[in-house]
Amino acid sequence: MAGRNYTFVTEFFLTAFTEHPEWGLPLFLLFLSFYLSTLLGNTGMIILIQKNRRLQTPMYFFLSHLSFVDICYSSVIIPQMLAVLWECGTTISQVRCAAQFFLFTFFASIDCYLLAIMAYDRYVAVCQPLLYVTIMTEKSCLGLVSGAYVAGFSSGFVRTVTAFTLSFCGSNEINFIFCDLPPLLKLVCGDSYIQEVVIIVFAIFVMPACIVVISVSYLFIIVAITKIRSSGGRAKTFSTCTSHLTAVALFFGTLIFMYLRDNADQSSEGDRVVSVFYTVVTPLLNPLIYSLRNKEVKEAILKSLRRSKISGRP
């Protein structure tokens, strides 16, 4: 180590999906359409919740924050990805890389916590219906959401400071769609054991912790549903949870695949495909999942469309 000369890296060159230049324009247009749809769908969901009185409930309060975080989350990643595709690779300074990494970790952590909070909300609604109003008060909902933002900030700050106190040397090329920890660790000079530990700690305090909350909540929900005598009642109760379960499976499934593996076993191509799913596809699908699989949201959308038709008549 002492006898080797290293060229220390102060900027990175993002090259994801540039091995096939002919794919550049089609992928650029595809991801641009995804991004615009994400902005439109999630903004529409927030406006719909704010305008419709029937959606002024804790569940939709949490959903509006999920939509807001998804807008921020995708806006941290996709514009950078579009620049990489348009320019066939783009340079990013270490400071910008750290800022992107922090914001990504911040919003991804909040997403995890909000999905766990929404599972708890469904547990209280199904298993403690008589106490729902007293438990899920406006004050408690604000406290839960504020806690998610504080915990997300703490996670992002600790991981960013830990990762970017490392020295990067040799090649500055990152064959990935953004500045994430696994590809960055491959550029580290020397041992990155501490940073590997940080990944595990992040995983323990964010992903598995949230998954445990979600799993326990739905275990109680399933038990409560089996005690409902009416088959129609069982179907109606579970239908309010299916949209949330679908969103959970999509988001956590890809995150687990990405972060709960040994960094040495990760392949760049496979990781890029998975990263596109949790940074591009999931924020796009969330408003579709909640609108297509939720009766109250569908009714609110139809009501808004009827109002717009009436107001548009001469």
Side-chain angles (χ1 to χ4, degrees):
M1 290 284 292
R4 296 180 183 177
N5 292 322
Y6 290 104
T7 302
F8 289 94
V9 173
T10 57
E11 61 182 15
F12 302 100
F13 189 64
L14 299 175
T15 61
F17 302 114
T18 58
E19 312 93 284
H20 303 283
E22 67 277 9
W23 294 1
L25 183 59
L27 286 176
F28 176 88
L29 295 174
L30 177 66
F31 291 143
L32 178 61
S33 66
F34 280 2
Y35 181 52
L36 294 176
S37 299
T38 298
L39 296 180
L40 181 63
N42 284 288
T43 303
M45 182 66 73
I46 293 170
I47 294 171
L48 187 69
I49 292 169
Q50 293 296 321
K51 295 289 186 181
N52 194 290
R53 290 183 180 179
R54 290 188 63 187
L55 302 182
Q56 301 294 315
T57 64
M59 175 183 171
Y60 295 106
F61 172 72
F62 299 136
L63 179 56
S64 65
H65 279 275
L66 184 69
S67 294
F68 170 72
V69 170
D70 279 344
I71 290 171
C72 299
Y73 178 65
S74 58
S75 296
V76 170
I77 305 300
I78 301 179
Q80 181 71 66
M81 189 194 311
L82 294 175
V84 172
L85 291 169
W86 185 257
E87 300 172 10
C88 294
T90 188
T91 301
I92 183 171
S93 68
Q94 196 172 63
V95 173
R96 281 185 59 198
C97 186
Q100 186 183 54
F101 176 71
F102 166 75
L103 290 171
F104 162 73
T105 307
F106 174 48
F107 290 119
S109 300
I110 296 171
D111 232 326
C112 292
Y113 291 126
L114 285 175
L115 289 170
I117 290 169
M118 291 170 75
Y120 173 71
D121 172 74
R122 290 299 84 206
Y123 156 74
V124 177
V126 174
C127 301
Q128 305 287 337
L130 299 178
L131 299 175
Y132 184 79
V133 176
T134 57
I135 294 174
M136 302 305 293
T137 62
E138 184 178 349
K139 186 177 179 179
S140 64
C141 291
L142 286 171
L144 288 169
V145 169
S146 299
Y149 280 85
V150 171
F153 178 86
S154 301
S155 175
F157 180 78
V158 170
R159 293 186 75 219
T160 303
V161 169
T162 306
F164 285 87
T165 51
L166 288 166
S167 295
F168 303 98
C169 58
S171 172
N172 70 337
E173 184 175 309
I174 298 178
N175 194 356
F176 205 65
I177 64 173
F178 68 101
C179 289
D180 199 9
L181 194 53
L184 283 171
L185 289 177
K186 296 176 182 178
L187 306 181
V188 170
C189 303
D191 187 20
S192 62
Y193 174 75
I194 294 175
Q195 282 62 41
E196 299 283 357
V197 171
V198 170
I199 293 179
I200 295 171
V201 170
F202 164 75
I204 291 172
F205 283 101
V206 181
M207 283 185 285
C210 292
I211 289 170
V212 167
V213 172
I214 292 167
S215 300
V216 171
S217 297
Y218 275 101
L219 180 63
F220 281 108
I221 289 170
I222 290 168
V223 171
I225 289 174
T226 58
K227 294 179 179 179
I228 299 174
R229 294 181 180 180
S230 166
S231 59
R234 287 196 298 268
K236 183 179 179 181
T237 303
F238 193 72
S239 68
T240 63
C241 305
T242 53
S243 54
H244 180 251
L245 279 173
T246 306
V248 166
L250 284 172
F251 188 69
F252 281 102
T254 50
L255 283 182
I256 288 170
F257 178 84
M258 189 69 188
Y259 291 104
L260 298 189
R261 295 181 296 150
D262 183 1
N263 186 50
D265 296 334
Q266 296 183 10
S267 66
S268 295
E269 188 172 352
D271 289 350
R272 281 178 297 177
V273 174
V274 173
S275 65
V276 165
F277 214 88
Y278 68 75
T279 57
V280 179
V281 178
T282 302
L284 169 68
L285 291 180
N286 276 346
L288 293 175
I289 291 168
Y290 282 101
S291 60
L292 294 177
R293 298 190 65 87
N294 192 297
K295 185 179 179 180
E296 290 177 328
V297 175
K298 284 192 287 188
E299 288 177 353
I301 292 171
L302 293 172
K303 188 176 180 180
S304 298
L305 290 174
R306 285 195 294 268
R307 282 181 180 177
S308 62
K309 285 182 180 180
I310 293 170
S311 62
R313 290 176 181 174

